[in-house]
Amino acid sequence: MAWPTALPLIAILRGITPDDIVAHVEALIEAGFDAIEVPLNSPDWQRSIPMAAQVAGDRALVGAGTVLTPADVDRVADLGGHLLVTPNTDPAVIRQGRARGMYTSIGFTTPSEAFTALQAGAQSLKLFPASIYGPSYIKAIRAVLPPDVPLLAVGGVTPENVGQFLDAGCIGAGLGSDLYKPGQPVSRTRERAEAFVKAYRSV
């Protein structure tokens, strides 16, 4: 297995609106991001996802987060989303994502959930919420996972602590409120994105 983009950091644009999506996606791509998700509990995501996919083109993998049902998978795929991110482990969602040709990054917290996800076809795993479990838990989990499974930390990851998660065995991270908060200016998104890229590359 391999992570499908050059930079294994997912920008999580939770709460973004269609009015803001294009400018923030451009800022993220300019800063070096090439994986972007719009969570499905964001307002008007049905408009934001295709707009994000169109502006990104082949420069970034764009899709949805907080995908909870197979029907949601189909809706995202029909809108041009190619990245499927979940907060939980649901084999039916994973299988539908793979059937629709999406790249799957599946949320888990326990070894049982991790292996359930892999058996259903998950291509990468995200420990959520990572900051609650911490690097020592990641080291323990990493020891029993297949070595080629991409593992990401999501939840509470900052430029200051991302190196700890990478050192513990993660290949990257999903970045939420420390990267983007609804309504923040594009300059803030660019500044935070550059800080994360610099932190990742300095490890």
Side-chain angles (χ1 to χ4, degrees):
M1 296 183 187
W3 183 253
T5 71
L7 184 75
L9 299 177
I10 303 175
I12 303 170
L13 299 180
R14 190 178 307 280
I16 199 161
T17 65
D19 288 344
D20 290 339
I21 188 76
V22 170
H24 288 269
V25 167
E26 280 288 2
L28 288 164
I29 292 173
E30 289 169 8
F33 275 74
D34 53 8
I36 299 168
E37 68 162 271
V38 176
L40 297 193
N41 54 3
S42 303
D44 243 352
W45 60 265
Q46 299 94 331
R47 291 175 57 206
S48 293
I49 288 174
M51 290 171 72
Q54 183 174 12
V55 71
D58 60 4
R59 299 179 297 164
L61 182 67
V62 172
T66 318
V67 180
L68 302 177
T69 69
D72 284 340
V73 174
D74 285 333
R75 294 168 77 190
V76 173
D78 291 343
L79 292 171
H82 295 286
L83 174 64
L84 168 64
V85 184
T86 73
N88 63 329
T89 307
D90 185 329
V93 170
I94 299 166
R95 286 192 291 265
Q96 188 64 16
R98 292 301 307 271
R100 293 301 303 265
M102 303 175 81
Y103 183 85
T104 54
S105 187
I106 303 303
F108 80 100
T109 55
T110 67
S112 292
E113 290 172 345
F115 283 102
T116 295
L118 293 174
Q119 289 163 6
Q123 292 148 293
S124 64
L125 299 173
K126 52 167 269 195
L127 177 65
F128 175 79
S131 62
I132 303 299
Y133 291 90
S136 60
Y137 187 78
I138 289 168
K139 286 181 181 177
I141 291 284
R142 182 78 269 180
V144 298
L145 291 176
D148 63 336
V149 174
L151 176 61
L152 286 81
V154 182
V157 180
T158 69
E160 292 74 29
N161 68 20
V162 66
Q164 299 173 28
F165 293 108
L166 298 175
D167 289 343
C170 291
I171 62 139
L175 311 169
S177 60
D178 206 70
L179 172 66
Y180 175 80
K181 291 185 176 70
Q184 77 181 24
V186 175
S187 59
R188 174 68 175 173
T189 299
R190 183 178 292 107
E191 172 192 319
R192 298 308 294 161
E194 290 171 351
F196 272 110
V197 172
K198 182 179 178 180
Y200 171 81
R201 290 177 175 163
S202 68
V203 175

